[in-house]
């Protein structure tokens, strides 16, 4: 089994704001997470799937930006809308579906736009979600 070259870490703990409120510390960044009021939370932050979708959207936009800068393409701005749903896969098992709609602004050719769409699929979070991951859990 290989190990990652650079391990990353975040800490998550209960915030005391309702039954499900959480405080997330990622490096020097502090964020909140919670469940919607309809699920018994207080909606003090994004829910866990909204955080996953945020990571996918941000990674997609950043990856396209890096590529466009490297190629010196005139990408003025990009935005990514992400939707999550649960579906039944072809094997009858539950499956998570993430749908992205990407908006590209700038004087880009159709070939450049299509290449940026291909590059979106190379974002590391996209690759993590599509290949699956190993999650190891232990008590402190």
């Amino acid at each position: 089994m290989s190990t990652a070259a650079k391990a990353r870490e975040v800490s998550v703990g209960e915030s005391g704001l309702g039954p499900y409120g959480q405080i997330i510390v990622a490096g020097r960044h502090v964020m909140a997470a919670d469940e919607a009021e309809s699920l018994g939370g207080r909606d003090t932050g994004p829910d866990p799937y909204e955080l996953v979708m945020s990571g996918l959207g941000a990674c997609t936009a950043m990856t396209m930006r890096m590529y466009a800068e490297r190629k010196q393409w005139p990408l003025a701005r990009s935005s990514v809308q992400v939707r999550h749903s649960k579906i039944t896969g072809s094997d009858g098992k539950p499956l998570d579906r993430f749908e992205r709609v990407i908006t590209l602004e700038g004087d880009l050719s159709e070939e450049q736009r299509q290449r940026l769409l291909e590059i979106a699929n190379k974002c590391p979070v996209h690759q993590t979600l599509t290949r699956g991951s190993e999650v190891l859990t232990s008590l402190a």
Side-chain angles (χ1 to χ4, degrees), residues 3 7-8 15 20 24 30 42 53 71 75-76 80 91 96 99 101 104 107 111 127-128 134 138:
T3 59
R8 304 176 103 145
S15 67
Y20 307 122
I24 303 164
V30 179
R42 291 195 181 162
M53 290 187 292
K71 293 291 189 175
L75 175 61
V80 183
D91 59 1
D96 288 282
E99 298 174 68
V101 176
L104 301 173
D107 190 23
E111 292 81 16
Q127 292 178 344
T128 296
E134 178 180 53
S138 62

Side-chain angles (χ1 to χ4, degrees), residues 1-2 4 10 35 44 47 55 57 60 63 70 76 82 87 90 109 114 118 136 139:
M1 178 188 304
S2 65
V10 300
E35 287 290 356
T44 60
D47 72 36
T60 300
T63 301
R70 191 165 49 250
V82 183
I87 63 169
S90 58
S109 69
Q114 288 304 310
E118 292 171 12
L136 305 174
L139 290 172

Side-chain angles (χ1 to χ4, degrees), residues 17-119:
L17 299 173
Y20 307 122
Q22 304 293 313
I23 294 293
I24 303 164
V25 179
R28 61 188 176 119
H29 306 285
V30 179
M31 301 166 276
D34 202 351
E35 287 290 356
E37 289 179 356
S38 63
L39 295 174
R42 291 195 181 162
D43 200 20
T44 60
D47 72 36
Y49 278 104
E50 290 169 332
L51 291 168
V52 172
M53 290 187 292
S54 298
L56 176 59
C59 183
T60 300
M62 290 174 188
T63 301
M64 292 186 304
R65 170 60 60 197
M66 287 177 195
Y67 189 85
E69 285 180 354
R70 191 165 49 250
K71 293 291 189 175
Q72 297 182 340
W73 288 355
L75 175 61
R77 183 175 185 275
S78 69
S79 62
V80 183
Q81 302 293 320
V82 183
R83 179 187 342 223
H84 171 257
S85 57
K86 298 225 177 229
I87 63 169
T88 302
S90 58
D91 59 1
K93 294 180 181 177
L95 181 66
D96 288 282
R97 172 180 282 166
F98 294 91
E99 298 174 68
R100 291 179 295 186
V101 176
I102 297 170
T103 301
L104 301 173
E105 298 176 19
D107 190 23
L108 298 162
S109 69
E110 187 57 33
E111 292 81 16
Q112 290 170 328
R113 294 172 61 78
Q114 288 304 310
R115 181 64 180 145
L116 288 171
L117 184 62
E118 292 171 12
I119 292 301

